[in-house]
Amino acid sequence: MPCVGDWLNSPLSIVQGIFAQNAPNSDWEKKVTEYFKEKLKENNATNWVPSLNDVPVHYLKPNSLVKFRCMVQDMFDPEFYMGVYETVDPNTNARVLHFGKYRDVAECGPQQEIDLNSPQTVTSERQTFYCVPVPGESAWVKEISFLTDASQARVSPSTSYTPSRHKRSYEEDEDMDLHPSKQKEQHVGKSCLQILCFSGSGGDIHGCVEPKRLETEASAGHHVISPNCSPPLDLNFPLPGEKGPACLVKIYESWESFKVNDVLEVFGVLSVDPVLSIVNSEERDSSSLDPMECMDTVEEQRVHSPPASLVPRIHVILAQKLQHINPLLPACLNEEESKTCEFVSNFMSELSPVRAELLGFLTHALLGDSLAAEYLILHLISTVYGRRDVLPLGKFTVNLSGCPRSSAFTEHLYRLIQQLVPASYHLRMSIESMNHSRFIPHKDYTANRLVSGLLQLASNTSLVIDETQLEQGQLDTAGVHNVTALGNLITWQKVDYDFNYHRMEFPCNINVLITSEGRSLLPSDCQVHLQPQIIPPNMEEYMSSLLTAVLPSVLNKFRIYLSLLRLLDYSISDEVTKAVEEDFVEMRKNNPESVTADDLHKMLLVARFLSLSAGQTTLSRERWLRAKQLEALRKARLQQQQCVNGNEL
Amino acid sequence: MSSPASTPSRRRGKRGRGSNPPTPQDARSPPSQKRRTDDSTSTGDLQPMPTSPPADAQSPGAADALFSSPPQFRHSAIPLDFDISSPLTYGTPSSRVEGTPRSGARGTPVRQRPDLGSVRKARQVDLHSDGLAEDIVATEQSLGQKLVIWGTDVNVASCKEKFQRFLQRFIDPLDKEDEDIGLDLNEPRYMQRLQEINMVGEPFLNVNCDHLRSFDENLYRQLICYPQEVIPTFDMAANEIFFDRYPDSILEHQIQVRPYNALKTRNMRNLNPEDIDQLITISGMVIRSSQLIPEMQEAFFRCQVCAFTTRVEIDRGRIAEPSVCKNCNTTHSMALIHNRSMFSDKQMIKLQESPEDMPAGQTPHTVALFAHNDLVDKVQPGDRVNVTGIYRAVPIRVNPRVSSVKSVYRTHIDVIHYRKTDSKRLHGVDEETEQKRFTEERVELLKELSKKADIYERLALALAPSIYEHEDIKKGILLQLFGGSRKDFTHTGRGNFRAEINILLCGDPGTSKSQLLQYVYNLVPRGQYTSGKGSSAVGLTAYVMKDPETRQLVLQTGALVLSDNGICCIDEFDKMNESTRSVLHEVMEQQTLSIAKAGIICQLNARASILAAANPIESQWNPKKTTIENIQLPHTLLSRFDLIFLMLDPRDEAYDRRLARHLVSLYYQSEEKMEEEYMDMAVLRDYIAYARSYVNPRLGEEAGQALIEAYVDMRKIGSGRGMVSAYPRQLESLIRLAEAHAKVRFSDKVETIDVEEAKRLHREALKQSATDPKTGIVDISILTTGMSATARKRKEELAQALRKLIQSKGKAPSLKYQQLLDDLRAQSDIAVTKEMFEEALRALADEDFLTVTGKTVRLL
């Protein structure tokens, strides 16, 4: 498939072609995006594009087309670059026009010079985002998307990466051929550069010498120790222990529409040119009189132009916001496309058995408590669907109280949830962790970047907070701030990022599940007291057997179920509104003390998610009654619990 | 280089003018001085070629006429050749003093303007052809009309003339600026400025571009588009006028014009490649400033072989090292002599977008600023500034020795003028006039809105639409957002009058108090939100911190100070501990905050309105008790709240029904629909901001009468039962509320309807909070003394009863405490608690009727 190879392997040559045809006209930019849009529309073409999420950077060809599923962690300042520039050959005076889009370095032959004063020069603007893989992405998401990609990638022989080991040496030879020649061209006789190549684009050079070391290096989370002994670069992942490449994503169009914490899928040209990392070494190059060099601090330079092998650049040709990251669902769920419609309606037809099975599964997981399982489903499909001034609508934080403390129950519960949702994080609350972790992202002005924190999460991430491990103790200032931040997150679904001189509010959409023994110290929308029916002697065995008992295909259905239902619309008819009104008035009449507006809020929420969980997009009378019933059951349980506690005291 | 080099050189500069020729006696740096003497002798032989090659290449006259910036000394006076290579040239350009005997334009040294200069070279060369003609123009006006600077449409002569006319004639009596102290607004403004320069000796002329625009649109456009060419022309024009007027004036260097407030004021986000090399004004916050960087302006090279020297000027940040010595033709023999090169001060500053300009969900942008010479160290991190400067983009060379260029430009702004936005706040002038600019359409829209009859209701409805009903509370908060008029009674010794309205909400949990607070906090630009539980007195006021780096004590301000001119929302007010709450006393009435801590004694402004929310002490409101008893706040504090609202759960079927409908609608309406229904939050915000800054209502005659009546009425209610129930504080509250209501209507006069509404609201709030549960009568004394009038009466009765009881016991000098209590209980028909009894005893003790010692009561 030579044509595929072309746009996949050397997209820049295609851009060059289009540029040459339309040259001074600025139409060429539009044509380029259109061309690639067309190409990617072809059946499953997106799967041929190697993904930075699955393939280590050093396996990918520089300047080839790649894709990356990521979250915008920080936004750097916009850059002005030479959109179009002219080179002059001083000997022949021949002038050639080039394009600077999708490139980091202005290309220039050995005999040529760039004419900086040419009237042809067009200055354009692009935006750089610092992107990290979606924090807390579940292993199964990675696996499944990798499998779909890989199966396709094998079809096309010209895609540079195949995961099998024996093939790699060939690839690397190719890379080797490519790289040193380039380097020779660019920096002849520069010894310090050589060192840098080792530290920076270490992949290529080490790779051919020591394939094994390379492997470990790549998987060790990029803690490459540079020979110049600077501390390893903090890649700024929101969650500790995250792996995967961070990327500088350069966006050329409509970057205003993207926000921090948005999840994007970008298709673009991979740029790992080692020249990019040189900026770092220039400090020592005292002969340089360029006053611009001293403009930024060392830290800032390190952060804003890290070695390209650690933080590759992607020049985006196409980018889209993702509604979800579940690879089992079509990426874009809009109703126009017949394919997605079909998918949705197919799934809807078998919804109720899936729900029943999921309920059964969760009931087992919650030690036989079906009411808690019911609430857990509601919680898992909840999402903030709107905001009324400051009030977030549709959040449904569940506090699962009465969790057995000893048997690592919460740990296992989290593992099950992890198997169901695309992104999640398990926060074990302890005095230690509250005092010492960084929850709120803050701006580091020396490095001029937003240092991430635990609470910088993408939309619809499941945050499971384990309060059972919390002991008595003293929280210090940081701890108090962290607890307040958690409280704010739950109540208002927003995190106030710390910009030192001021705070900025970032709305978020995070599903919080709190497991605790008693009532949680954090606020929650609804507290469900767990009533275990069975206490398995060996929790671990019990839980893992639960998982193995579920067929992978069924598990996948659960996953689709939870992701899909979140995206459905919902409405309430006038008729039912009336009925609800009547009901509420009635309830208040009987017992004005116990039924408040808050309770109505809760009931409406439960009713909403209950209807959605059954695939219904309007509220029916039955669902409303069922919601009332559930709430009544839950409350009765709480009351009972209070009585028990009261007796004990 | 801030001090050692530049300060002495300046000093030298002044002296140099007087004594001619200057002698190298000013020995700050002996080693270099020695070399300088060497130099002067060696170069002395080479006098025929005194100037540097670049200067030779062009007509020096033209260059000078156009750009006052290039050093003038080269050609200004031939007899001064000695000076050119003189030992005095050391350090900053300002030290380049020529000892001309005459003062005036020619005599005052020119100081280079690095803020304009970095790309100058290219243009100059292009100008060369015009150069000679330009010289003629200077003398014979008629010839040069059509000549323009290359690449622009700027004709130097006419531009200069226009600007001179502007300086001489511009009058705008209406435009009052804060810097205009001592200016006669009916005289040409900038001529007065020049006079000021003459007196003060600070050779900088700040020119408001807005003035220029109203004077001559075309000149303004030229300034914006070609600042690099136009500003030097302005400099020249200003200097000509100045030295014409004040020929004897002695300045450090020639006057530099600093335009500011270019109308192209932009948000940092809107900067785009089109703005490169244009004059822009942007606002932002300084987040970092670098150390001082000495930047070479002119390099001094000396041939190692023949000691021939030459100067090379900086060109776009680079110095072209001469590869061949012009004198002896040896290649690569020229060496840089640092001591004799010229440097200027430079500082890199990072400016970050101000938080208000940021779109939601994005991180702020930053831009680099370069400040030169005088502007170095003018701003500190944390300052809010408006910067006027020239936007630049410079290509980055990947490596100086490699030809390939990174295709990215580095951008920065060469600062010409700073204007601190919040510096005035410290001086106590209301800054809100500056803070927000409204487009004319917006003002039109707001005015249109204000004319609507139901604007007050409308705005109240737009406030926190998700919170159901509670209209009076919303109205109260609305008035709080507008605030009263600020009055100054300092000259009569009363100090500032509080204009801020404080509100307390108390009520059952779950009545969306917190939500209201959150809403308000999100609405106002300078709001703070704290929870009583989590805040300490220190967190609210200010604390002293030791800076870890400098070991310097730093005053860190807390929520109350930070919300100066804003609203401080305090949730869970009742959970706040006693000592913290006591801090509020001062803030809520005097609007200041006194601090005496770690040797720092000061008084900070804290003109914050306070919006507090409290839960009843029994968590559920007890209707059988008074407000005081329900919330248990000290009445000294309570009386400082203008309005106290109860947010109770109304147990009413119709209400329930409406509430249910409202809530249900929340759960299925799409977001767009929600937004349509109510007034946009942005409009509301603008409306409030506009009213706050532009409307300042005063009491009308009728309104005054109405207020007096209202107050007298309030006093009467109490006096009917023989005690005072309304205090001047209540009158002040009424005035504030009436003013705020007038502001809502954009009215400059407080009228009777405003007073009526203020009265109504005050009464509504009072009705709820000051109703005596035992009698059902509104009783203000509950708020002022913490005790209802009936309770007070009862206390007195009890005391009298006790006195009678004791007197009836005859002449016994002492009585048993317990015995007395039992007797009183037996006698009285109401239940007498121990507390009541003790209170009665204390009352009698106060009357010197008895004393209580331990368990015995003695009669006196």
Side-chain angles (χ1 to χ4, degrees), chain A residues 77 80 295 300 445 582, chain B residues 288 348 366 409 657 666:
Chain A
D77 295 329
F80 291 178
M295 194 158 98
E300 184 166 347
Y445 282 116
E582 292 295 328
Chain B
R288 193 172 73 211
M348 201 277 286
T366 57
Y409 293 99
R657 195 178 296 273
L666 280 183

Side-chain angles (χ1 to χ4, degrees), chain B residues 51-75:
Chain B
T51 46
S52 60
D56 264 351
Q58 52 190 274
S59 150
D64 200 32
L66 280 177
F67 306 100
S68 45
S69 22
Q72 228 175 7
F73 58 87
R74 280 184 208 133
H75 49 84

Side-chain angles (χ1 to χ4, degrees), chain A residues 118 130 321 333 378 448 490 583 609 647:
Chain A
S118 158
Y130 187 85
K321 253 191 238 184
L333 283 171
L378 304 186
N448 196 12
I490 292 166
D583 247 14
F609 296 124
N647 287 346

Side-chain angles (χ1 to χ4, degrees), chain B residues 73-91:
Chain B
F73 58 87
R74 280 184 208 133
H75 49 84
S76 59
I78 291 145
L80 290 176
D81 267 353
F82 173 70
D83 268 338
I84 294 158
S85 51
S86 99
L88 272 188
T89 53
Y90 175 74

Side-chain angles (χ1 to χ4, degrees), chain A residues 405-420:
Chain A
R405 184 164 186 221
S406 49
S407 46
F409 164 74
T410 51
E411 193 78 23
H412 294 289
L413 182 66
Y414 170 68
R415 260 179 233 167
L416 290 185
I417 291 175
Q418 206 178 16
Q419 283 298 319
L420 297 174

Side-chain angles (χ1 to χ4, degrees), chain B residues 89 129 252 277 311 329 368 373 414 436 455 483 553 575 584 613 648 654 673 696 775 830 857:
Chain B
T89 53
S129 53
E252 196 181 314
D277 284 339
R311 293 169 193 281
N329 278 335
N373 295 333
D414 277 323
K436 230 174 158 157
I455 181 66
L553 288 175
K575 310 269 190 314
L584 290 170
L648 296 184
K673 207 169 153 199
N696 215 0
T775 59
I830 52 163
V857 177

Side-chain angles (χ1 to χ4, degrees), chain A residues 363-377:
Chain A
T363 308
H364 284 296
L366 293 169
L367 309 176
D369 186 342
S370 64
L371 182 70
E374 190 83 54
Y375 271 97
L376 190 57
I377 292 184

Side-chain angles (χ1 to χ4, degrees), chain B residues 81-122:
Chain B
D81 267 353
F82 173 70
D83 268 338
I84 294 158
S85 51
S86 99
L88 272 188
T89 53
Y90 175 74
T92 50
S94 61
S95 69
R96 299 214 144 219
V97 169
E98 44 184 305
T100 28
R102 47 181 182 148
S103 59
R106 285 273 158 181
T108 311
V110 174
R111 184 188 230 183
Q112 283 198 340
R113 294 196 64 161
D115 46 353
L116 303 174
S118 45
V119 203
R120 197 181 57 222
K121 215 48 173 247

